[in-house]
C-alpha cells in the first residue's frame, strides 16, 4: 500500500551526533531477556510497507505500568525506531517476541483513550497504516525529534552526610549516601547540567562522543543523573516572548525624593519606566518597549536593577482579536419553531441516554439548522460533556464560529489546514488539556484529542470535502458516526441536500430524520432556468446570459441588494488550443488540459498543481493562432467588472483561499455590505447566511453534470440547490438565475421545482441495482507504474485474483477493471483502477496489496 511521500523514518540519530547504535545508551537490563510480560501492539513510525501494520512487542517489568498511547523505543530490523503503544496483542505460537527497549518521555499517553480507539477503527476501516493514522492525530513536528536527554538528579547530601568538603552541595557535587569525590570530568559534566536537562548531543566532553556516553552511563549507574529518550517539540514548540516588568520594590515615582542617583537616567529610560508604571504588574513585551524607546533601553534598565525580564508563553490563538459575531443563530427574543423544538428535544433525549443513532436535520436552506446546533451544544455543555462541530470548508468555519460565539459566549477551539503549524500545535495542546469544550473545524477536527465527547455535529454532511484524498483516506462524516458509537456521543447530521446514501439510511430507519420545511428567514427565491442553446443562437457569446445581466443591473444597491455568481471552475480559460492543428495544451505530468490563469499569466494544472509559462506558439505545429475557450472564476470576475464598473466585486475560490486570511476578509466584507457582487466556486454556495443577498446566478450548471462518475448528477443537484438557497434570506425577495445547456435534466428539474423526491428515488434505484452505497460498499485500487503496459498487466492480474477469491469465499462482490484512471498519467506513472463493489469488498481484498498499489475505501469518486 502506498504511503505518503513525506513520511519520515524516526530511528537512529546519525553517527555525526555520536550515536552509531542506540544500544550504547540502552537502559534495558538483564531481565528484559527473560520470558514473561504482557504483549502489546506497537505502531512503528517507519517508512514504506513495513509501517503498514502494528507489530507485537513484550513489555519488560521495569517499564510497567505502560499505558496505551505512550511513545516507546523498539528494535525494528537492525535499527531502533520510535513507536506508539497501540493496544493489547497476541503472538503466534513459536514466535519470539522482542521486548520494548525503553519508554520515551512525553508526559504520559500522547492521545486520550477515545482517540486511540478511533485510530484503531480508522486503521481497520480504511486499511491505513496505524503509524500514519496516529501521526495525523498529533500536532505537526511532535514526532520529528527523538532525543536522548540527560538530567541531573537533585542533590540529597548535607554536611552531616558528607558535607561540602566531600563533594557536597557547596562545590556543586550531588551527594548520595557515603561521600565519593567526583573526578573533575564528572564534575564538569554535572556543571553542564546545572541549568536543567540537556540533549546529550549538545553536551561537550574531551574524550569524544563514545567516551562521553560511557561517562553518562556511569553517572546514571551512580544515581547522579537520569538518561531518558524524550520527544522534543520541533518547529511547532510553544512560542515564548520576553516581558519587561518594574523590579519589585521599585517606587512608582521614578526616583525617591531627595535621593540623587549615581547616574542619571536618560530621557528614553525615563519614558520607558513611565510606560511600565502605567501598566503595572502586567508588563510590556520587550520587543514593543525596544521599538518605542530604543533597542538598548531594556538591557540598560535591567543592568541597573530597575526592571526584570521574564519569558512567558504566548499562545497562538486563531480567534484572538476577532470579536464574536454580531448576529447569532436566531434573534435574542425569538423562540424555536415547532420543527426546531422537536429536533432539539430529540437531541436532548439522545444526550441523556447516550444514544449514538445519527439524527438527520433535513431541511430547506434557511430552515434554522444553526439555531438547533446552538441549542444542542448548550444542552451538551449542561451535561458536562464536550462538543465537536465539523464543516466542509475552511471558509465556512469562521462564519459558523462567529454565530455560535454570539449565542453561547464560549472560548472555542478551531482546527483546519489553513492554520500555521504553531497555531495547530497550540490548539491541539488546548484541546488535549481540556481547556476548550467546543471545537469547530474541517475534516481534520475529527482527529482532535477530545475526551468526554458528548455531541458531534456534521454540517453540510453531503459535502465531498469531508473525504480525504491523502492517507489516511477517511470520510469524516462516516468517521464521526463511528466515533459516536465508540464514545456514546450523539451525532447530528445537517443538510438541505442530503447525500444519496444518507437519504437511503434515513428511509430505512437507520437514521432518525427531522424535516425542517419552513424557511424561517425570508422566502424561497424565484428560480429562472435559462437555456444557453437559445442564448448562443441569439448571438450571446459571453458568460452572462441576457437574463442574468438584466438581473444584475436591477440590483438596488441603495437598499443593500447583493449578488452571488457561481461557476465551479477556476481560471480564465479552461482549454487552450491551436486553431490550426487543434492541439490542446496539456500537463506533461498527468496529461489533463492546462487552465489559463490571468493572475500570473500562467497555464496551471488543477490536478497536480504544475504551473507552465504561457506558450505563444503551438508546441505541435508552431502556429501562433492560439485560442482560449471556456472560462472560470477569473474570466467571470473580469466580465462582471467590465459590465458593471461601479459595482464592488470580489472573487473567492481556492486560488484566493490559499492566501492567509483572505477568505475571512472577503466573507466579512460580504456580511457587512461592503461588496455588491461576489464571484466564486462552490465555496460560496454553502453556509453563507447574508440577508442582503437577493440574487444568485449559476453561470454554468453543466460543469460536472456529465462526468463519467455515478455521483455526477447528485453533486450537481446539491451544488445548485445549495447555491439557490443563499438568495432571499432577508426582507427583500430573492431570485435565482440558472444557466444550462440541459434544462430538462432530472437534477436541474429537481432544483427548479424544489421537489427532490423523484430525483432521490431514481438515484436510489440505480444504487440498489449496482450495489453502491447505501446498499453496498466500494473500494478503489489504483496501480501506478512508469510503463503503461506493465501497469495494465498488473491491474489485470490482480483483478483476476480478486475474482477467483470472491468465488472461493462466496461473497457477492463484483470486480471491475482494470480501467485507465480519469487522470491516466501522474508524476510520470501510468495509473489503472480496479474497483470492488458489493456487500463486503474488504473481505475479498484481505490485506492491503502494498506498493505499487494504493487503496481508497469508500471513495468519493471512481474517476
Amino acid at each position: 500500500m502506498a504511503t505518503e511521500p513525506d513520511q519520515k523514518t524516526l530511528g537512529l540519530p546519525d553517527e555525526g551526533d555520536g550515536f552509531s547504535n542506540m544500544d550504547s545508551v540502552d537502559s534495558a537490563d538483564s531481565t528484559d531477556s527473560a520470558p514473561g510480560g504482557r504483549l502489546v501492539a506497537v505502531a512503528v513510525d517507519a517508512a514504506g510497507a513495513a509501517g503498514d501494520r502494528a507489530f507485537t512487542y513484550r513489555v519488560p517489568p521495569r517499564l510497567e505500568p505502560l499505558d496505551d498511547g505512550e511513545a516507546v523505543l523498539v528494535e525494528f530490523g537492525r535499527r531502533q525506531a520510535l513507536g506508539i503503544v497501540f493496544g493489547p496483542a497476541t503472538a503466534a505460537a513459536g514466535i519470539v517476541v522482542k521486548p520494548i527497549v525503553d519508554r520515551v518521555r512525553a508526559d504520559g499517553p500522547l492521545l486520550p483513550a477515545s482517540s486511540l480507539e478511533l485510530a484503531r477503527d480508522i486503521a481497520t476501516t480504511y486499511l491505513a497504516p496505524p503509524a500514519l493514522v496516529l501521526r495525523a492525530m498529533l500536532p505537526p513536528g511532535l514526532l520529528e525529534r527523538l532525543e536522548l536527554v540527560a538530567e541531573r538528579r537533585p542533590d540529597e547530601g548535607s554536611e552531616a552526610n558528607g558535607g561540602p568538603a566531600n563533594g557536597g552541595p557547596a562545590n556543586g557535587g550531588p551527594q548520595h549516601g557515603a561521600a565519593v569525590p567526583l573526578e573533575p570530568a564528572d564534575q564538569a559534566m554535572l556543571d553542564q547540567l546545572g541549568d536543567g536537562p540537556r540533549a546529550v548531543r549538545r553536551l561537550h566532553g574531551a574524550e569524544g562522543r563514545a567516551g562521553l556516553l560511557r561517562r553518562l552511563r556511569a553517572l546514571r549507574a551512580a544515581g547522579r543523573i537520569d538518561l531518558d529518550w524524550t520527544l522534543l517539540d520541533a518547529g511547532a514548540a510553544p512560542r515564548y516572548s520576553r516581558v519587561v516588568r518594574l523590579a519589585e520594590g521599585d517606587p512608582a515615582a521614578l526616583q525617591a525624593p531627595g535621593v540623587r542617583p549615581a547616574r542619571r537616567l536618560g530621557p528614553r529610560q525615563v519614558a520607558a519606566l513611565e510606560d511600565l508604571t502605567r501598566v503595572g504588574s502586567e508588563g510590556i513585551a520587550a520587543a514593543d518597549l525596544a521599538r518605542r524607546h530604543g533597542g538598548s533601553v531594556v538591557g540598560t534598565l535591567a543592568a541597573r536593577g530597575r526592571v526584570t525580564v521574564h519569558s512567558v508563553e504566548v499562545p497562538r490563538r486563531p480567534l484572538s482579536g476577532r470579536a464574536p459575531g454580531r448576529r447569532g443563530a436566531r434573534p435574542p427574543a425569538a423562540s424555536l419553531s415547532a420543527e426546531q423544538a422537536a429536533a432539539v428535544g430529540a437531541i436532548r433525549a439522545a444526550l441523556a441516554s447516550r444514544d449514538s443513532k445519527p439524527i438527520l436535520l433535513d431541511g430547506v436552506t434557511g430552515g434554522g439548522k444553526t439555531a438547533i446546533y446552538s441549542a444542542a451544544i448548550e444542552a451538551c455543555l449542561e451535561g458536562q460533556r464536550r462538543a465537536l462541530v465539523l464543516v466542509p470548508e475552511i471558509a465556512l468555519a469562521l462564519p459558523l464560529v462567529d454565530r455560535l460565539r454570539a449565542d453561547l459566549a464560549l472560548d472555542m477551539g478551531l482546527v483546519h489546514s489553513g492554520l500555521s503549524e504553531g497555531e495547530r500545535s497550540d490548539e491541539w495542546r488546548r484541546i488535549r488539556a481540556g481547556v476548550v469544550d467546543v471545537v469547530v473545524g474541517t475534516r481534520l477536527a475529527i482527529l482532535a484529542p477530545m475526551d468526554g465527547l458528548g455531541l458531534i455535529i456534521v454540517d453540510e454532511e453531503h459535502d465531498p470535502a469531508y473525504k480525504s484524498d491523502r492517507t489516511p483516506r477517511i470520510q469524516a462524516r462516516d468517521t464521526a458516526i463511528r466515533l459516536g458509537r465508540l464514545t456514546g456521543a450523539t451525532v447530528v447530521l445537517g443538510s438541505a441536500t442530503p447525500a444519496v446514501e444518507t437519504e437511503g439510511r434515513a428511509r430505512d430507519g437507520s437514521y432518525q430524520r427531522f424535516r425542517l420545511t419552513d424557511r424561517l428567514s425570508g422566502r424561497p427565491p424565484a428560480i429562472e432556468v435559462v437555456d444557453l442553446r437559445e442564448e448562443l443562437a441569439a448571438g450571446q457569446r459571453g458568460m452572462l446570459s441576457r437574463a442574468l445581466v438584466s438581473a444584475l443591473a436591477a440590483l438596488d444597491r441603495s437598499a443593500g441588494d447583493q449578488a452571488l455568481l457561481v461557476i465551479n471552475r477556476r481560471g480564465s480559460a479552461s482549454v487552450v488550443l491551436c486553431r490550426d492543428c487543434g492541439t490542446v495544451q496539456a500537463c506533461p505530468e498527468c496529461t489533463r488540459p492546462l487552465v489559463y490563469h490571468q493572475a500570473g499569466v500562467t497555464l496551471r494544472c488543477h490536478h497536480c498543481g504544475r504551473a507552465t509559462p504561457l506558450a505563444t506558439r503551438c508546441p505541435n505545429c508552431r502556429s501562433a493562432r492560439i485560442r482560449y475557450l471556456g472560462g472560470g472564476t477569473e474570466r467571470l470576475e473580469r466580465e462582471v467588472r467590465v459590465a458593471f464598473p461601479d459595482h464592488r466585486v470580489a472573487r473567492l475560490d481556492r486560488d484566493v483561499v490559499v492566501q492567509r486570511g483572505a477568505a475571512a476578509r472577503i466573507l466579512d466584507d460580504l456580511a457587512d455590505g461592503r461588496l455588491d457582487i461576489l464571484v466564486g466556486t462552490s465555496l460560496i454556495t454553502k453556509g453563507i447566511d447574508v440577508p442582503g443577498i437577493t440574487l444568485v446566478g449559476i453561470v454554468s450548471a453543466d460543469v460536472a453534470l456529465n462526468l463519467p462518475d455515478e455521483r455526477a448528477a447528485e453533486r450537481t443537484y446539491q451544488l445548485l440547490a445549495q447555491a439557490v438557497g443563499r438568495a432571499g434570506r432577508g426582507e427583500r425577495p430573492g431570485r435565482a438565475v440558472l444557466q444550462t445547456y440541459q434544462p430538462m435534466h432530472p437534477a436541474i428539474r429537481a432544483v427548479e421545482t424544489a421537489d427532490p423526491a423523484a430525483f432521490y428515488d431514481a438515484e436510489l434505484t440505480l444504487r440498489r441495482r449496482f450495489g453502491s452505497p447505501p446498499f453496498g460498499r466500494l473500494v478503489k485500487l489504483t496501480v501506478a507504474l512508469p510503463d503503461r503496459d506493465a501497469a495494465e498487466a498488473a491491474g489485470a492480474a490482480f483483478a483476476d485474483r480478486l475474482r477467483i477469491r470472491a468465488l472461493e469465499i462466496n461473497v457477492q462482490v463484483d470486480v471491475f477493471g482494470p480501467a485507465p484512471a480519469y487522470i491516466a498519467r501522474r508524476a510520470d506513472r501510468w495509473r489503472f483502477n480496479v474497483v470492488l463493489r458489493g456487500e463486503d469488498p474488504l473481505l475479498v481484498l484481505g490485506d492491503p496489496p502494498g506498493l505499487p498499489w494504493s487503496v481508497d475505501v469508500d471513495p468519493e469518486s471512481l474517476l
Side-chain angles (χ1 to χ4, degrees), residues 1-4 52 126-127 129 469-471 473 779-785 798 821 826 831-835 845 848-857 859:
M1 176 177 175
T3 55
E4 294 302 312
D52 280 358
Y126 296 102
L127 302 182
D469 58 356
R470 300 183 63 188
T471 304
R473 288 186 170 93
V779 175
K780 182 174 71 173
L781 302 109
T782 303
V783 62
L785 290 170
F798 190 52
R826 175 182 285 173
R831 306 164 70 244
F832 282 81
N833 291 335
V834 173
V835 176
L845 178 61
L851 295 174
W853 289 88
S854 63
V855 181
D856 191 357
V857 179

Side-chain angles (χ1 to χ4, degrees), residues 159 162-168 170-171 179 181:
E159 288 193 19
N166 293 311
N171 66 8

Side-chain angles (χ1 to χ4, degrees), residues 190-449:
L190 292 175
D191 289 342
Q192 292 187 61
L193 301 175
D195 294 331
R198 292 186 64 182
V200 168
R201 64 187 178 88
R202 297 188 180 279
L203 296 175
H204 305 287
E207 63 270 68
R209 304 303 292 180
L212 182 146
L213 291 174
R214 286 193 295 271
R215 187 171 300 280
L216 289 173
R217 190 166 51 201
L219 287 171
R220 180 183 62 187
R224 296 182 181 276
I225 67 169
D226 290 315
L227 284 175
D228 293 292
W229 289 103
T230 304
L231 285 175
L232 299 181
D233 288 324
R239 182 178 60 180
Y240 292 92
S241 173
R242 294 194 309 152
V243 174
V244 183
R245 299 187 180 97
L246 286 175
E248 290 186 13
D250 195 65
L254 300 182
Q255 63 183 51
V259 176
R260 183 179 181 84
R263 184 176 178 185
R264 188 174 298 277
L265 297 174
R268 288 188 172 184
Q269 297 161 351
V270 171
L273 289 175
E274 288 176 341
D275 284 354
L276 290 168
T277 302
R278 279 192 291 271
V279 300
S281 61
E282 184 177 329
I284 299 174
D288 292 341
L289 206 62
R291 187 165 52 250
R292 297 182 207 169
H293 305 293
S296 63
V297 68
V298 175
T300 301
L301 290 174
R304 301 178 72 172
R306 305 300 296 271
V307 301
T308 58
V309 183
H310 308 269
S311 290
V312 298
E313 184 178 350
V314 182
R316 290 161 284 219
R317 301 283 175 80
L319 296 174
S320 63
R322 185 177 180 89
R326 295 177 296 279
R327 189 165 65 93
R330 67 177 190 271
S335 59
L336 293 172
S337 69
E339 292 177 333
Q340 288 175 315
V344 171
I347 294 171
R348 282 185 172 273
L351 286 168
S353 62
R354 295 181 178 262
D355 184 0
S356 59
K357 180 179 180 178
I359 296 173
L360 173 62
L361 303 180
D362 175 9
V364 296
T365 52
K369 291 186 290 294
T370 307
I372 298 175
Y373 299 161
S374 180
I377 293 171
E378 190 172 16
C380 178
L381 298 180
E382 289 172 1
Q384 304 299 309
R385 300 172 75 189
R386 304 169 78 186
L388 172 64
V389 183
L390 300 182
V391 294
E393 300 279 0
I394 296 172
L396 302 182
L398 279 178
L400 183 58
V401 164
D402 287 345
R403 300 189 70 187
L404 293 177
R405 289 172 76 197
D407 284 343
L408 303 173
L410 292 174
D411 182 17
M412 297 184 178
L414 186 65
V415 178
H416 59 71
S417 60
L419 303 180
S420 68
E421 285 196 357
E423 287 173 330
R424 283 178 59 188
S425 295
D426 282 3
E427 288 295 273
W428 185 90
R429 293 186 187 96
R430 294 174 69 218
I431 296 167
R432 179 72 176 93
V435 174
V436 292
D437 290 325
V438 180
V439 174
V440 180
T442 55
R443 65 174 181 251
L444 281 176
I446 195 63
L447 305 177

Side-chain angles (χ1 to χ4, degrees), residues 60 97 107 117 177 182 232 253 329 333 346 392 409 437 617 634 656 690 714 745 778 795 849:
V97 179
D107 297 325
E117 199 167 358
L182 287 172
L232 299 181
D437 290 325
R617 291 187 175 274
E634 283 190 8
V656 175
V690 178
E714 175 191 359
H745 192 282
L778 297 173

